[in-house]
Amino acid sequence: MERTLLYEGKAKKVYQVNDRTREIILSYKNDATAFNGEKKSVFPGKGRLNNEISSLIFTKLREKGIKSHFIKQLNKTEQLVYQTEIIPLEVVVRNVAAGSITKRLGMKERTPFNPPIVELFYKNDDLKDPLINDEHAILLTNISLNELKEIKEKALEINETLSEIFQRIGIKLVDFKVEFGRLADGWIVLADEISPDTCRLWDVETMEKLDKDVFRQGTGDLIEVYEEILNRLEEQK
Ligand code: UDP
């Protein structure tokens, strides 16, 4: 397939393949970054693991009626998706306190949230992705108030389905980040990726962290824990 590089991000490259159908290829890289790109490393095999994990999860979400940009996995490190205009919001859903909320609000790690908390961050590297409210989101993006409401509801629906998927394999979904994009026809769908790069995943029995925190905190072998996630998901398929 003939392709042209459209964009290169921290974790993926994006290639245009077909102007007419607006399909693009996401190519997962082996790079890992944390703390707004201040900490960087390369992990051979990470691109494949995240591509496999994200493809599996988007397929399961599709089975549950959650529409996304995902079309199909193409090979070990690449997937075919519909091109969307990414809405510059990071939508975070939290079931348990961890990460930035513990520092920002002085909450103890492991504090459960019932109901879950939805937070919005403005996707902007120069500003270091600040936390914003609904009014800011409307001003900073081209979505309507109603679309924002739908995005937050969708994020909570994704949380329910994802929590169930992980619960079945002995993992607590602590929190995660999703992004949404607008298709050519105007509809907003789930986009980007869902992987241990974008979720906090704790083993229910041991509380072991099986996600990017092992890299952020330097406490474990990233490839080993991502492999553990993929293996458990594949056993459940
Ligand atoms: N997250 C992400 N990309 C970001 C920031 C956060 O995927 O740029 C994910 C992160 O992996 C975690 C959730 O969103 O699962 C909540 O992250 P948090 O706000 O606690 O920020 P962090 O502690 O990662 O800086």
Side-chain angles (χ1 to χ4, degrees):
M1 242 186 297
E2 198 162 319
R3 50 167 78 183
T4 36
L5 184 66
L6 273 185
Y7 171 80
E8 176 161 2
K10 288 187 279 242
K12 297 185 282 295
K13 286 182 186 171
V14 181
Y15 295 96
Q16 178 115 49
V17 273
N18 190 330
D19 261 353
R20 195 176 41 79
T21 58
R22 295 170 194 272
E23 291 171 2
I24 57 173
I25 292 176
L26 297 187
S27 181
Y28 283 69
K29 308 199 297 184
N30 289 333
D31 303 59
T33 60
F35 312 117
N36 274 295
E38 275 169 43
K39 185 171 181 176
K40 279 187 207 161
S41 209
V42 179
F43 294 94
K46 173 175 175 284
R48 176 186 74 85
L49 289 163
N50 276 354
N51 181 44
E52 306 259 15
I53 293 168
S54 198
S55 295
L56 223 143
I57 289 175
F58 274 75
T59 303
K60 281 181 187 271
L61 290 176
R62 177 160 61 200
E63 285 164 14
K64 298 277 179 186
I66 292 166
K67 292 192 176 64
S68 73
H69 70 161
F70 181 75
I71 302 170
K72 63 178 177 183
Q73 188 178 340
L74 290 175
N75 54 50
K76 286 196 166 142
T77 55
E78 296 181 325
Q79 50 185 248
L80 192 67
V81 306
Y82 292 112
Q83 185 161 24
T84 62
E85 184 201 331
I86 293 289
I87 295 154
L89 292 178
E90 302 205 330
V91 184
V92 168
V93 182
R94 302 181 187 275
N95 297 303
V96 179
S100 70
I101 198 170
T102 62
K103 296 187 201 103
R104 195 180 342 113
L105 300 179
M107 281 171 179
K108 211 168 167 291
E109 188 175 83
R110 298 195 192 186
T111 309
F113 301 131
N114 278 311
I117 294 176
V118 180
E119 290 178 345
L120 301 174
F121 296 85
Y122 181 38
K123 213 171 125 71
N124 183 309
D125 282 341
D126 293 340
L127 299 175
K128 300 191 172 161
D129 301 345
L131 176 74
I132 58 170
N133 68 18
D134 289 12
E135 287 77 15
H136 297 139
I138 300 300
L139 277 175
L140 291 166
T141 69
N142 63 4
I143 61 172
S144 68
L145 190 57
N146 207 34
E147 284 173 330
L148 180 61
K149 206 172 138 241
E150 282 169 17
I151 282 175
K152 290 165 93 178
E153 279 166 11
K154 193 57 75 181
L156 285 169
E157 197 184 325
I158 293 164
N159 183 46
E160 300 239 317
T161 303
L162 269 187
S163 292
E164 247 177 66
I165 292 170
F166 283 113
Q167 199 183 343
R168 264 184 257 128
I169 57 171
I171 286 166
K172 175 73 189 173
L173 177 63
V174 170
D175 61 30
F176 65 94
K177 180 269 298 179
V178 276
E179 294 179 21
F180 293 84
R182 197 184 287 282
L183 291 165
D185 64 9
W187 287 100
I188 293 174
V189 293
L190 172 65
D192 195 48
E193 69 176 285
I194 299 179
S195 71
D197 269 9
T198 64
C199 301
R200 282 198 171 87
L201 305 166
W202 295 353
D203 184 278
V204 172
E205 307 246 295
T206 65
M207 299 297 273
E208 190 192 347
K209 294 179 178 177
L210 302 171
D211 57 59
K212 200 163 96 175
D213 271 350
V214 300
F215 167 67
R216 289 191 191 96
Q217 304 170 347
T219 49
D221 184 327
L222 179 140
I223 294 296
E224 232 170 63
V225 303
Y226 284 33
E227 242 157 25
E228 176 70 22
I229 297 293
L230 179 61
N231 288 343
R232 290 200 205 178
L233 283 170
E234 281 188 327
E235 276 166 28
Q236 267 293 314
K237 232 180 3 191

